[in-house]
Amino acid sequence: MQNLNLKFFFLIKFFFYEIKNLYRIILIRLKNISRFKLINYISYILMNNDLKYKEQNITKFLKNMKSNYLKSKKKYSKKKILVELLYIHPERTIMNCLISKDLQKFYGFDITALIKKNDHLSKSIAQSFGINRFIYYQEGNIIDRIKSLLMAIDIINFNEIDKKLIKLKLFGYEIGKAAYENYFRFYNFNHLKKNKFLLYICLSKAILATKFSKKIFRENYEMCVMGELQYIPYRLLFHCALKNKVPVYNLRGTAALNYMGRLYKNYKDRNSHQLKYSSKLSVLLSKILKNNKDIQFFNYKKRINY
């Protein structure tokens, strides 16, 4: 009876949450549409014409990229690279595209991009690199979201969610950890008291993200390029890739702070730091470097991923 009352109360809160979220989405989409002339955007929707941006810097960048990457008519193998472009930021999108194109040049694999459906800029950037295969991230319809919320309530007790969520596993994945870090990053507005409704919302998002990630990796990908490894859905995509033995190339850094990357191959390394490097690299550097202090630095155990 108590669980039924909780579900009823949370469903009411859920509908208010959805209305607020819908309002936010509408504002974001209107802002995105404002990048284009109205006639051009309508022609894009109705006739799939090219989008023309009002901002000249974007237009110039896309034109330059097309002149560099669309010259090649090379045909690639049926083997595929998955590049994640869900983080809506041009710099991250560009860097992930660059990495995937370098991998394509080396291995000769085709590229599929994972993007959000209405992220026109990320899609335009990917197309300027010659990437034309897309998968759209699905957060589920409102029925799916209600079902996942009710499932979350059934999975973990209301009185224990703030203490036991971080250790929760479902479908073989650390969905509790993903939900917990997502809550603290985006929803923890009151540091003195946890909002249990929002904890359940994060858990329900993690459930949906896990289901989608498992669906994605039913396809055979040779490798995956990701810019973010934390939060929802990135952590769950990342873990799902490793569980399916798909190596993940990850970039860390910014243009201001410089870039560095890491290749993840094993699921056991899923929670290790992006700045760790393999013992094989450590041994190689030890052979190359002659300075004893440099060798000690590279052999320091906390920096080696065993």
Side-chain angles (χ1 to χ4, degrees):
M1 187 66 182
Q2 185 178 1
N3 209 29
L4 285 174
N5 291 336
L6 179 65
K7 286 180 179 180
F8 179 74
F9 176 67
F10 273 7
L11 281 175
I12 293 173
K13 292 195 71 171
F14 170 79
F15 284 112
F16 283 105
Y17 170 84
E18 283 286 310
I19 291 168
K20 185 178 178 181
N21 197 44
L22 179 62
Y23 175 72
R24 181 185 63 83
I25 290 170
I26 290 171
L27 289 180
I28 292 171
R29 289 188 182 175
L30 288 174
K31 184 179 179 180
N32 288 337
I33 293 170
S34 69
R35 292 175 177 268
F36 319 103
K37 292 181 179 179
L38 184 59
I39 295 175
N40 172 243
Y41 186 76
I42 292 171
S43 68
Y44 165 76
I45 296 296
L46 297 179
M47 295 178 285
N48 202 29
N49 290 341
D50 290 338
L51 284 169
K52 296 178 181 179
Y53 292 83
K54 291 180 182 178
E55 298 169 64
Q56 291 302 308
N57 288 336
I58 295 176
T59 302
K60 186 177 179 180
F61 169 81
L62 294 175
K63 185 178 179 180
N64 289 339
M65 289 299 101
K66 287 177 182 178
S67 66
N68 289 331
Y69 285 96
L70 299 187
K71 290 178 182 178
S72 175
K73 302 297 181 182
K74 183 178 178 180
K75 292 185 178 180
Y76 299 102
S77 74
K78 292 183 179 180
K79 294 181 178 181
K80 294 177 290 185
I81 299 167
L82 179 66
V83 56
E84 170 267 308
L85 304 178
L86 296 175
Y87 194 94
I88 304 178
H89 192 288
E91 183 180 1
R92 184 71 61 83
T93 300
I94 291 165
M95 293 308 300
N96 281 5
C97 286
L98 283 169
I99 293 169
S100 63
K101 291 299 288 187
D102 280 346
L103 291 169
Q104 183 182 61
K105 185 178 180 180
F106 189 81
Y107 291 102
F109 300 157
D110 203 357
I111 300 174
T112 299
L114 174 61
I115 66 171
K116 292 183 178 177
K117 191 167 186 179
N118 292 288
D119 184 6
H120 303 304
L121 181 56
S122 291
K123 187 173 183 179
S124 295
I125 292 171
Q127 288 174 325
S128 74
F129 279 89
I131 300 170
N132 292 301
R133 295 180 184 274
F134 296 96
I135 298 172
Y136 298 100
Y137 182 70
Q138 299 170 8
E139 295 181 283
N141 56 41
I142 191 166
I143 301 300
D144 294 326
R145 295 194 291 275
I146 289 172
K147 285 180 179 179
S148 67
L149 177 61
L150 295 177
M151 184 179 179
I153 295 170
D154 286 334
I155 287 170
I156 192 164
N157 187 279
F158 176 81
N159 296 320
E160 298 176 332
I161 187 169
D162 54 336
K163 297 176 182 177
K164 293 188 176 181
L165 179 61
I166 196 169
K167 296 180 180 180
L168 180 66
K169 291 185 180 181
L170 189 66
F171 314 119
Y173 294 91
E174 297 173 332
I175 68 164
K177 187 175 288 185
Y180 209 66
E181 68 183 3
N182 204 73
Y183 169 80
F184 276 102
R185 174 64 178 84
F186 299 105
Y187 296 100
N188 189 30
F189 307 119
N190 183 350
H191 297 282
L192 300 177
K193 185 179 179 181
K194 294 186 180 72
N195 185 319
K196 293 188 178 183
F197 169 72
L198 291 176
L199 282 172
Y200 277 109
I201 287 290
C202 289
L203 179 54
S204 69
K205 287 177 179 287
I207 291 169
L208 287 171
T210 305
K211 289 179 178 179
F212 178 79
S213 300
K214 291 177 71 178
K215 183 180 177 182
I216 284 286
F217 287 102
R218 286 175 191 163
E219 291 282 332
N220 292 322
Y221 293 101
E222 301 301 315
M223 54 195 66
C224 179
V225 178
M226 296 189 68
E228 179 63 77
L229 302 181
Q230 301 180 92
Y231 315 121
I232 299 168
Y234 311 101
R235 175 182 285 273
L236 298 161
L237 282 164
F238 173 49
H239 288 192
C240 200
L242 294 180
K243 274 211 169 188
N244 284 274
K245 303 190 183 305
V246 178
V248 176
Y249 289 82
N250 171 245
L251 178 74
R252 181 180 174 86
T254 65
L257 300 173
N258 291 327
Y259 295 100
M260 57 191 71
R262 178 176 174 183
L263 170 60
Y264 289 86
K265 289 184 177 180
N266 301 311
Y267 185 70
K268 67 181 178 63
D269 297 325
R270 65 194 181 280
N271 293 318
S272 61
H273 199 278
Q274 291 158 291
L275 299 184
K276 281 190 175 182
Y277 47 82
S278 70
S279 54
K280 289 181 181 179
L281 177 60
S282 177
V283 171
L284 177 62
L285 290 171
S286 296
K287 290 178 180 177
I288 295 171
L289 297 170
K290 295 180 180 179
N291 188 305
N292 287 332
K293 289 183 179 179
D294 288 337
I295 292 172
Q296 289 173 5
F297 172 80
F298 283 110
N299 278 318
Y300 182 48
K301 65 180 182 179
K302 288 186 179 179
R303 293 182 176 271
I304 297 175
N305 171 29
Y306 290 102

